[in-house]
Amino acid sequence: GLVRQVLRDLKDEFGFGVGPWNQAYQFDSLPIRYETWDEMKPGDLVFAEGTYVKPGTKPQKGDIVHVEVFLGGGPEGKRVCGARWGKGVVQEFDSYEFPAKSWTVRK
């Protein structure tokens, strides 16, 4: 929800908008892909590819299950902000890597 709302609020500044779809649509809409953390710049989006673990949960297109905003810095240079654990609270975290409760990460 956080990234989608920011993209909607700043669509004129960004020069594009996103629809009401999920993080997989956001991933498909953005033109740049990085393979390493070293290439990331503050403000870039970090996507997680994974699989939901709850039986009966619909798979996501491209298996994109989560997105956060890269801030840089922190102990490993991987600081991000986002809303985790379905509570709708936006926080900063030292790393994008965390033990998710509802999905397993592949990338």
Side-chain angles (χ1 to χ4, degrees):
L2 165 69
V3 172
R4 182 181 312 129
Q5 189 59 51
V6 169
L7 290 172
R8 285 181 183 163
D9 290 349
L10 298 173
K11 69 179 180 180
D12 292 337
E13 287 84 351
F14 289 150
F16 68 92
V18 296
W21 304 281
N22 64 18
Q23 57 273 9
Y25 176 79
Q26 296 168 10
F27 181 80
D28 287 344
S29 298
L30 300 172
I32 300 172
R33 306 282 194 270
Y34 299 127
E35 294 299 322
T36 68
W37 285 99
D38 296 336
E39 300 174 79
M40 303 283 296
K41 297 181 290 301
D44 285 342
L45 299 181
V46 180
F47 293 88
E49 179 183 330
T51 304
Y52 287 111
V53 295
K54 183 178 176 184
T57 303
K58 180 182 172 185
Q60 297 294 311
K61 180 182 175 195
D63 293 326
I64 303 296
V65 294
H66 188 67
V67 60
E68 292 185 350
V69 179
F70 181 75
L71 302 174
E76 298 177 26
K78 298 180 180 181
R79 195 159 182 79
V80 295
C81 74
R84 296 181 180 175
W85 303 292
K87 298 182 186 217
V89 177
V90 177
Q91 298 174 287
E92 289 187 20
F93 302 95
D94 284 335
S95 174
Y96 185 82
E97 299 160 344
F98 69 100
K101 296 177 182 179
S102 60
W103 41 270
T104 58
V105 173
R106 282 200 310 261
K107 261 186 177 178

